[in-house]
Amino acid sequence: MKNPLTLTVPSAPMFPSETYAMGSSRRPDGATLTVTRQSLQLNGKPWTPVMGEFHYARYPASEWREELLKMKAGGLELIASYVFWIHHEETEGSFDWSGQRSLRDFVALCGELGLHFVARIGPWCHGEVRNGGLPDWILGTKTRTDDPPYLKKVAILYGEISKQFVGLLWKDGGPVVGAQIENEYGGRAEHLLTLKKLAREAGIDVPLYTRTGWPGLASPMPFGELLPLFGVYAEGFWDRELKPMPGNYWSGFHFSHLRTDSAIATDILGKRDAKDDADATRYPYLTCEIGGGMPSSYHRRIALAPADIEATVLVKLGSGSTLPGYYMYHGGTNPEGKTTLMESQATGYWNDLPVKTYDFGAPLGEFGQVRPHYHRLRRLHLFLQEFGEKLASMPAFMPDQRPTGKDDLSTLRWCVRSDSKSGFVFINNHQRGTTLAAKEGIQFKISLPKGELLFPDQPVTVPAGSRFFWPFALNLGNSLILKWATAQPLCTVTKGPKRTIFFAETPGVPARFAFEKTIKALKPGQSLDLGSVQICLLSEADSLQLYKLDKKVYLSPASLSAEGILLHLRADDPKLLAVKFFDGESFRGVEVSKPRAQKLTVGAEVIRPAGQPRTIPRGKISTPVATAPEDADFAQAALWKIVLPPSLDLALDPLLRIHYTGDVARLTLGGKLLTDNFYNGQPFEIGLQRFGPEILTGALELAVLPMPQNPPILLPESVSGAKLIKIELLARYHATVP
């Protein structure tokens, strides 16, 4: 038998109070939003909300409501968005806040749906937008400095943003709770303070002022002026190397007290050591850019697996984060502009991105697709909504034996968050691009101030690729203490006198629940009645179908969201439009009026075969990489006419799914580009409803540029030429339950 893995939790530390120079924290109804060294505080209690980025200007306004409801059902409480200057003032002096550019309408809708909003007001935002979001006409000034001509224009921008927020700020009872100043700024701190001053003078008075915690600043930031927020990505499109997982991405899969991730933005910031500011631990550990996915740049075609994303989130939570913030949580499409609004080497930036799509491989896609990691992340968010207040008071502690570095794949990656009495053990045995073998004979010995805890009672095997957390000394209510469990807590619900706590099995590990005098084993689907409390163990599959909406718990293979008294169900198969609710004892089915399944057909007629693959040039920047094709290059693309059924009902929200191989694909309607795709091994998907009714009668064409042999591109597999493998037309079904 192996020796147990050991860790010491000291007596609960006494955190001194800190003073942060934030804005108005009190709402007219008396609610407060403040900051402590450990966490955000809502109404004086620790708050661990989930934040997700959704760019309003990259999504049709008519579809905002449905998507925000999905985000809320996914467990989000904070919606974040860049305010891209170039999207609103592409021509100097002519601001456009209309349609999908209406920041005010978007923020008001967030408030209506019970969501809070964080504005990332730049002026430089990046977001893979042309000039980092700066309009072309401002480039004649000394941007991102205290140069007076530049600041004069920034003051006008902030004033216009402030007008959008009239009556919508937290202090007015509205949803706007935060403002990020600049982004990925490494100059002097004085400039950030100038921008904060301009924002406040413009009337952007919010409880939270933030900045990205990377890179390091050229001069010290006075303590408490801007909350640093951090990030992690499983892998990036921006690296200059054409190999998977270069640099320090491996560190995102290791538990650590270090908050800064040096793998972010190596194109802009270069390779560097990860180093936190000396005062980092005086701030709560907040994040704004945990990668919810990753787009493909032209030279690096990234496709993340759901496990990659789930693992990095779990590692951040285990390492002490009290605000998981995703970039992106919802994908989108670049709006129309007078010129391309996307970053490219031709505009002096580091990477070539698609012209239209900003899908990002996010949990919710460019056309509202619900992806597998949406459900995996929701499972974590359920826990945070239920236990986040407790978790926020628990610092992170690292084990006595930790992995020695990048090449140590045999040492188990784990840590503990604890308040010195109870806590959670976080385990991650997954890393992108690397197989982490099963770890056998695992037991944990945690030294607490009042004694040692050894669990499980018998050593277990941590399966390859697994990532999970287990509780110890967890108060289940009514003074009932769960000494430890080998299952992951999800959420609770109270019906009458009984409280039910839902757990998810850890696949490959027997689920055991230890109490003062007994240990109970459960199988998925079984419950344990403890009088006023019961434990319900769900299978892995059922745990990914669990929702808690408006204090009610549901199981459904469909995507659920709630709006008032209505429950919305969405699925690609009408058979999946089913839902069960928990009645306090078991799950009971609800009658759902299901639409009939529709077999949709689609054709593809060859207009012309592919011509010769192009010779791919490199960009004309300091660190160039392969450049994306220009419009003229598509004269050599294979071209197909897409033939839709003439009677296609767009109310079915049909999704066109194109399986192809090649270099770059474009879908046009009457010659106008709808969206595009850099091939990365995944299907090219396009929602058709938003393009109706023209989509039913116009010339819908697919162009695929052939891939040359051995291109200077990181690809998931070797491909060449241009081939249409299969094309599908899928209905997306919807049902409503009162």
Side-chain angles (χ1 to χ4, degrees), residues 460-476:
V460 299
T461 295
V462 173
S466 58
R467 56 262 169 218
F468 55 89
F469 57 92
W470 293 338
F472 63 88
L474 180 64
N475 189 340
L476 300 181

Side-chain angles (χ1 to χ4, degrees), residues 25 85 97 103 119 144 180 243 248 299 326 338 349 472 479 520 536 542 544 565 578 594 597 607 640 653 659 670:
S25 63
W85 194 350
W97 300 101
L103 175 58
R144 309 184 76 183
Q180 179 186 299
K243 64 180 183 180
N248 294 326
H299 71 288
Y326 297 98
K338 294 179 172 57
Y349 269 59
F472 63 88
S479 301
K520 297 291 187 180
C536 180
D542 281 349
L544 295 172
I565 63 171
K594 301 177 183 179
I607 297 175
W640 291 268
D653 194 14
H659 303 260

Side-chain angles (χ1 to χ4, degrees), residues 60 155 177 255 337 392 514 598 687:
V177 298
F255 297 102
Q598 303 286 325

Side-chain angles (χ1 to χ4, degrees), residues 230-566:
F230 298 89
V232 63
Y233 290 91
E235 188 167 3
F237 68 76
W238 46 76
D239 291 279
R240 315 327 270 167
E241 299 175 63
L242 299 183
K243 64 180 183 180
M245 296 292 286
N248 294 326
Y249 288 108
W250 62 272
S251 64
F253 296 89
H254 287 245
F255 297 102
S256 171
H257 288 303
L258 186 67
R259 302 182 182 190
T260 301
D261 189 309
S262 63
I264 297 178
T266 55
D267 51 352
I268 307 171
L269 307 174
K271 293 183 179 180
R272 61 205 187 277
D273 293 331
K275 183 180 179 182
D276 288 343
D277 290 340
D279 61 3
T281 57
R282 295 176 63 190
Y283 293 96
Y285 188 179
L286 312 176
T287 68
C288 59
E289 288 199 22
I290 298 176
M294 182 55 56
S296 289
S297 60
Y298 185 73
H299 71 288
R300 286 182 62 87
R301 311 295 178 89
I302 304 296
L304 297 181
D308 301 336
I309 298 164
E310 184 184 25
T312 56
V313 181
L314 185 132
V315 165
K316 281 295 184 188
L317 286 175
S319 298
S321 175
T322 55
L323 169 64
Y326 297 98
Y327 190 96
M328 299 284 298
Y329 190 84
H330 202 306
T333 307
N334 289 315
E336 293 296 314
K338 294 179 172 57
T339 184
T340 178
L341 293 176
M342 204 59 167
E343 168 183 331
S344 67
Q345 292 176 90
T347 62
Y349 269 59
W350 301 275
N351 308 285
D352 287 356
L353 277 294
V355 174
K356 294 294 293 183
T357 182
Y358 199 66
D359 178 84
F360 217 88
L364 295 172
E366 177 182 10
F367 296 98
Q369 307 99 305
V370 178
R371 299 203 166 105
H373 45 304
Y374 172 86
H375 302 293
R376 291 197 165 276
L377 298 178
R378 186 184 69 251
R379 186 168 63 177
L380 290 173
H381 304 161
L382 282 170
F383 167 77
L384 292 176
Q385 288 181 330
E386 197 73 51
F387 300 99
E389 180 180 334
K390 185 173 183 63
L391 187 71
S393 65
M394 296 178 171
F397 301 97
M398 301 298 149
D400 296 329
Q401 183 181 1
R402 300 173 61 188
T404 56
K406 176 181 179 180
D407 298 323
D408 184 352
L409 306 181
S410 59
T411 303
L412 183 67
R413 302 169 187 186
W414 70 288
C415 74
V416 164
R417 289 190 66 172
S418 175
D419 59 5
S420 301
K421 298 177 182 178
S422 61
F424 302 90
V425 176
F426 288 79
I427 299 103
N428 176 44
N429 201 30
H430 173 85
Q431 181 171 311
R432 175 173 168 80
T434 300
T435 299
L436 299 183
K439 307 296 190 292
E440 299 178 352
I442 298 301
Q443 253 182 324
F444 303 102
K445 185 168 74 173
I446 302 172
S447 297
L448 298 161
K450 291 189 176 181
E452 287 184 349
L453 173 67
L454 180 69
F455 88 99
D457 57 323
Q458 297 294 326
V460 299
T461 295
V462 173
S466 58
R467 56 262 169 218
F468 55 89
F469 57 92
W470 293 338
F472 63 88
L474 180 64
N475 189 340
L476 300 181
N478 296 320
S479 301
L480 182 63
I481 303 298
L482 178 65
K483 287 183 65 178
W484 55 262
T486 54
Q488 181 168 311
L490 296 171
C491 67
T492 72
V493 67
T494 300
K495 290 283 187 177
K498 180 160 288 189
R499 184 178 194 233
T500 300
I501 301 97
F502 295 94
F503 285 78
E505 69 164 334
T506 299
V509 180
R512 294 167 65 80
F513 297 82
F515 299 90
E516 184 63 33
K517 296 181 179 180
T518 184
I519 297 175
K520 297 291 187 180
L522 290 181
K523 293 182 179 180
Q526 292 183 332
S527 296
L528 178 62
D529 194 331
L530 300 166
S532 60
V533 173
Q534 74 171 339
I535 289 173
C536 180
L537 180 67
L538 301 180
S539 67
E540 170 81 350
D542 281 349
S543 72
L544 295 172
Q545 296 183 5
L546 189 72
Y547 290 79
K548 186 174 181 181
L549 305 171
D550 295 333
K551 300 182 180 180
K552 298 177 183 178
V553 172
Y554 301 91
L555 277 179
S556 177
S559 168
L560 298 189
S561 63
E563 185 176 16
I565 63 171
L566 299 179

Side-chain angles (χ1 to χ4, degrees), residues 78-149:
L78 292 169
I79 306 300
S81 180
Y82 282 131
V83 181
F84 293 113
W85 194 350
I86 196 172
H87 285 180
H88 296 290
E89 195 187 7
E90 193 171 1
T91 299
E92 185 175 6
S94 180
F95 278 93
D96 183 357
W97 300 101
S98 64
Q100 71 186 69
R101 289 174 164 86
S102 179
L103 175 58
R104 181 172 184 81
D105 288 349
F106 184 79
V107 173
L109 182 58
C110 287
E112 178 188 334
L113 299 179
L115 295 162
H116 306 295
F117 184 74
V118 174
R120 304 177 80 184
I121 61 175
W124 191 89
C125 295
H126 202 194
E128 290 65 67
V129 174
R130 179 186 178 94
N131 309 326
L134 300 178
D136 291 350
W137 53 263
I138 199 68
L139 300 182
T141 63
K142 296 178 182 178
T143 62
R144 309 184 76 183
T145 72
D146 279 355
D147 181 47

